Amino acid sequence: MDCMATTNLRVIPLGGLGEIGRNMMLLEYGDDIIVVDVGLMFPEEEMLGVDLVIPDFSYLRDHADKLRAVFLTHGHEDHIGALPYFLREFDAPVYGARLTEGLVRVKLEEHRLMQKAQLHVVEPGEAIQAGVFEVEFFPVAHSIPDACGLIIRTPLGLVVHTGDFKLDHTPVMDQHTDLIRLAQVGAEGCLLLMADSTYAEQEGYTPSEQLVGEALRNIMVNAESRVIVATFASLIARIQQVIDAAVFTGRKVFVTGRSMIDNVAMARQLGYLNAPDGVIVGVEQMRNTPPSQLVIVTTGSQGEPTSALTRMANGDHRHITIAAGDTVVLSATAIPGNEQAVYRNVDNLFRLGADVLYNRAANIHVRGHASREELKIIQGLLQPEYFVPIHGEYRHLVTHARLAESVGVPQGQAFILTDGDVLEIDADSAWAEERVPASYVYIDGLGIGDVDQHILRDRAHLSTDGVVVVMATVDKQTGKLERPAEVLSRGFVDVEESEELMERSRDIVAKALGGNSHYAEIGDVNTRIKDALGKFLYDETRRRPMVLTVTVEV
Amino acid sequence: MDCMATTNLRVIPLGGLGEIGRNMMLLEYGDDIIVVDVGLMFPEEEMLGVDLVIPDFSYLRDHADKLRAVFLTHGHEDHIGALPYFLREFDAPVYGARLTEGLVRVKLEEHRLMQKAQLHVVEPGEAIQAGVFEVEFFPVAHSIPDACGLIIRTPLGLVVHTGDFKLDHTPVMDQHTDLIRLAQVGAEGCLLLMADSTYAEQEGYTPSEQLVGEALRNIMVNAESRVIVATFASLIARIQQVIDAAVFTGRKVFVTGRSMIDNVAMARQLGYLNAPDGVIVGVEQMRNTPPSQLVIVTTGSQGEPTSALTRMANGDHRHITIAAGDTVVLSATAIPGNEQAVYRNVDNLFRLGADVLYNRAANIHVRGHASREELKIIQGLLQPEYFVPIHGEYRHLVTHARLAESVGVPQGQAFILTDGDVLEIDADSAWAEERVPASYVYIDGLGIGDVDQHILRDRAHLSTDGVVVVMATVDKQTGKLERPAEVLSRGFVDVEESEELMERSRDIVAKALGGNSHYAEIGDVNTRIKDALGKFLYDETRRRPMVLTVTVEV
């Protein structure tokens, strides 16, 4: 087994396959492992109280001696966000393009991990040796500058990992996907392609960023008052377009929202964002600028509760009060799960008198991922022997695998992996049988991985019908109640009704223990109370609050 | 004021304006009030543990003597679902078309309210006198048979309420929107139009149901194994199309999901669903039918956790085990807020090997509401003096009002009302100034309206970081702890970590009360414990569980 392993290439996704976010992929050959991306995921609805979800590092923990390097495709949170947790445990050089490195640096400084980290900036075209692997970065068009894919030379052949990409022929930041390099790889022979599946359901082509630039300019030309643009703080190209349109229409730009302010500052410093002197203004100057000469760039395109746009929509932003005549542009799509929050903002902004542009028809957003025709082009250039769809929910992976088979990947050589599956490739064939641990690791406050299904179940229970707490003092000998039980509730019934119900609950507790004239175990007392009270409360209210009992013997 | 009121028409929405669902509208003139629809709404994400939301009846409660009648436009839950709660309080005849009455009857029998109810079946074209109002039902095309709009003759002129509608020129159940009758009303003069805004953002026309029929037939012709169609149980026309396609392809139909089974039985009994003998089969016969000759109709198109489709997707449906080759058709759109649940099912069905058709490209669903060009036709036929967009989130109402103004409603005569606003119309003008109560009334278990913001806030708190319960026994005189406090938690930290943390929490409680050598109020003791423990736990975990204290004096 060990002997065999040395001549097999092993591809092990730890995140991002069968889900969106926390992208992480291992490549293993013999004694070497390299890591592509170490991302985080934002919690789903039922992950109550969870702040973040990171990949499961168990497999790496068991093979830490093999770890040679980490390669980052681009600077989005779902590709770099779990690095601080990773670097606390593992030592390895980290490679990324310039902006990616800049974003990682900011993050690691926050976590006070810069001393420990070995960060290296890589230029597109540059190749890094890491054990048996040689990893070359190639530029791709995506919604953040310096996004890259990877060409990985392995003992068995060339592996291409696209990262997140699309084929934008007129990109804003002048970064095309390097089709020529991919064609060369195709000509040399591509063993395995792993390509972005996020948009594998979308027919046709993803429109160019240029379209959005034109739309923004038209909006600013026609708006008689302020134009407020909400977008992702990491969408530097979009922010550049807003600045360009503002300059074109003689407007000043005010930036609000913490992450937006930070990212704009960082991007300007690194030269990724160009604004003529005096265009970006502070609070004082904003106040003195007529509304018709003002653009505001803000966070909150996903309806995040504490974001600047949500504050504006709720009428409690410190500096900006929405007024009739304002035009609000949501230059983003609602990520599934955020729709209610996004639309609530839209409704509230309308209520305050603003005009809100938020749907696709307005051309105010294009996405950063390749649609079906683009995916076919990549397949055509690389003609891989094996294919693994990456980055996407399970349905996207299935759809992408079918697309690949429809344009030439041999039947049975497109592998739909999910997190934890191990794809093994040898000189003749490929198969996926083994699995490694790849569970959700929850970050909640300072806790890493200590929140489990049990805790989430309890939180779900508490959220539905609240909690009832009973404190009983019983005689050590007889198990009889020494005094009326104390009963209180939260999140269960309202105060007025509560009082009467709590009063009656005390009687139920008394009755439940009344028959006892012999010694009773505390466990037994608690169970009796829980059963009797749970039944009583359900009969009375058809609700099932969590009943917690504390029994003290005296 | 009272004198004025007798010559004004008052239009009072109590639900469905500025939100989707729980549609309810009052029309008041002098001593008469009529009600259009009494619907319910399903709770939004943050309404934790709430089962249903119904309209606020406060205004009617204060004017119960004026109530003349209830008119129901169609049998969907968001238009009839709150009737059981309404009829417990109010006496009035209820009018609706035949299927609507059938659905209401089923509902009232469940609630044991049929004895009290005065239900009347109305034919389209029939007019009912209710106080000063004369109400005529006219047929509209919608996603349920017998859907109607209302033409309401008032002392000030004709009011048209469209109900939910679209203009389907080739509907499945042969029910067109009655454009001729609307044209007659337009010719006579329409004082006020209230029209469905649900789809006011959609350009063009809503496609005909016919399209779906063709798509279903193609799917069944090509599928080599079972075809499983999930849709709304109330979407009788869709179920008819499934049966028609099954008959065309020589397949049997098995129905699963409680509400689907009930609705199919009721619709067949009333003659709204036609299936040749032997086409609809039971469990035994289904088991004996080859997969290539079988269609399954199921609930669960919204990813409802206990629905039949979700059970299939999770592999725990009693009778149906998904297998490779099965084709699952989601003949419905995800209602905002349900996306995650719907897509989880899609992913799980793919995992089990099924082929899943779920997006718009497949033509497997069309919606029941009019798009922009259809809305313009209605405006053109009626040319109303005043316009109130109804049924929709606030952004839909704004969009619809602008559409109306763009095709002829005079500037300022399209009123964007939200629930509780009162539109008053007299002979010369219209205005909206007054408001009546229209808050959310939550149904939770047996409780009607007893769950308030306070309880929901507590539930949200509990759901985020769980609960910690402290029981302290203190000396009545000194306020000193008599014994170590009992501390327990749920939904906060895992059991292992919990033990050590609870141990230390006991020390914190002891320390918090240690300095007391004089009499301390119980309230004071509780506050000290809460403050000290809350701070300690936050410092240790960066979580803020709800801390509940019970202090007993001995």
Side-chain angles (χ1 to χ4, degrees), chain B residues 369-382:
Chain B
H369 300 275
S371 298
R372 294 177 65 80
E373 291 307 312
E374 296 161 86
L375 297 173
K376 288 178 191 167
I377 289 170
I378 297 302
Q379 294 281 346
L381 288 172
L382 287 164

Side-chain angles (χ1 to χ4, degrees), chain A residues 422-470:
Chain A
V422 179
L423 177 70
E424 300 216 45
I425 304 180
D426 65 13
D428 307 313
S429 62
W431 63 96
E433 277 166 11
E434 196 187 324
R435 277 188 59 77
V436 305
S439 50
Y440 288 124
V441 175
Y442 299 124
I443 309 286
D444 182 4
L446 294 181
I448 302 174
D450 73 318
V451 168
D452 55 15
Q453 284 310 317
H454 187 75
I455 292 182
L456 292 182
R457 239 189 339 261
D458 281 348
R459 288 182 185 173
H461 185 172
L462 289 165
S463 78
T464 309
D465 287 328
V467 62
V468 172
V469 176
V470 181

Side-chain angles (χ1 to χ4, degrees), chain A residues 179-447:
Chain A
L179 298 179
I180 293 176
R181 186 70 192 103
L182 289 178
Q184 289 166 344
V185 171
E188 186 178 339
C190 177
L191 174 70
L192 168 66
L193 168 63
M194 299 191 271
D196 180 9
S197 313
T198 317
Y199 239 33
E201 291 174 349
Q202 295 291 323
E203 296 294 338
Y205 290 88
T206 302
S208 170
E209 287 284 333
Q210 206 173 46
L211 210 72
V212 178
E214 288 162 17
L216 288 172
R217 212 156 53 212
N218 284 338
I219 291 165
M220 290 188 203
V221 166
N222 291 307
E224 288 169 6
S225 185
R226 294 184 295 191
V227 175
I228 298 163
V229 183
T231 192
F232 299 101
S234 63
L235 197 31
I236 310 287
R238 191 64 47 78
I239 301 165
Q240 182 68 61
Q241 288 180 307
V242 173
I243 293 171
D244 291 347
V247 169
F248 181 83
T249 54
R251 289 173 184 257
K252 305 284 182 199
V253 178
F254 176 73
V255 180
T256 182
R258 202 182 53 80
S259 60
M260 187 63 83
I261 292 169
D262 290 351
N263 271 27
V264 166
M266 188 273 299
R268 288 181 79 187
Q269 206 182 334
L270 292 179
Y272 285 90
L273 207 50
N274 301 310
D277 284 349
V279 165
I280 296 183
V281 299
V283 176
E284 277 314 306
Q285 217 183 326
M286 173 192 70
R287 291 214 170 109
N288 297 328
T289 306
S292 64
Q293 291 167 29
L294 196 62
V295 170
I296 295 166
V297 181
T298 179
T299 52
S301 66
Q302 296 303 308
E304 303 92 326
T306 60
S307 66
L309 186 69
T310 302
R311 290 217 188 93
M312 292 180 217
N314 294 339
D316 56 9
H317 190 282
R318 231 174 110 199
H319 303 305
I320 299 157
T321 307
I322 296 291
D326 284 340
T327 303
V328 180
V329 180
L330 290 195
S331 189
T333 318
I335 292 169
N338 295 346
E339 292 89 348
Q340 282 198 4
V342 170
Y343 285 130
R344 185 168 307 147
N345 275 355
V346 170
D347 286 333
N348 287 336
L349 290 163
F350 268 126
R351 272 181 237 275
L352 294 172
D355 199 6
V356 191
L357 301 173
Y358 60 99
N359 56 20
R360 231 178 271 184
N363 282 334
I364 47 180
H365 180 58
V366 296
R367 289 187 255 195
H369 300 274
S371 299
R372 293 176 64 82
E373 291 307 314
E374 295 160 86
L375 296 174
K376 289 179 191 167
I377 288 171
I378 297 302
Q379 294 281 348
L381 288 173
L382 287 165
Q383 300 182 17
E385 195 174 335
Y386 300 109
F387 175 61
V388 171
I390 58 173
H391 307 166
E393 306 281 358
Y394 196 83
R395 60 191 180 280
H396 303 134
L397 305 181
V398 172
T399 308
H400 198 180
R402 288 185 185 167
L403 175 145
E405 289 180 345
S406 79
V407 296
V409 170
Q411 201 73 30
Q413 291 179 211
F415 287 89
I416 299 164
L417 306 183
T418 56
D419 300 335
D421 285 340
V422 179
L423 177 70
E424 300 216 45
I425 304 180
D426 65 13
D428 307 313
S429 62
W431 63 96
E433 277 166 11
E434 196 187 324
R435 277 188 59 77
V436 305
S439 50
Y440 288 124
V441 175
Y442 299 124
I443 309 286
D444 182 4
L446 294 181

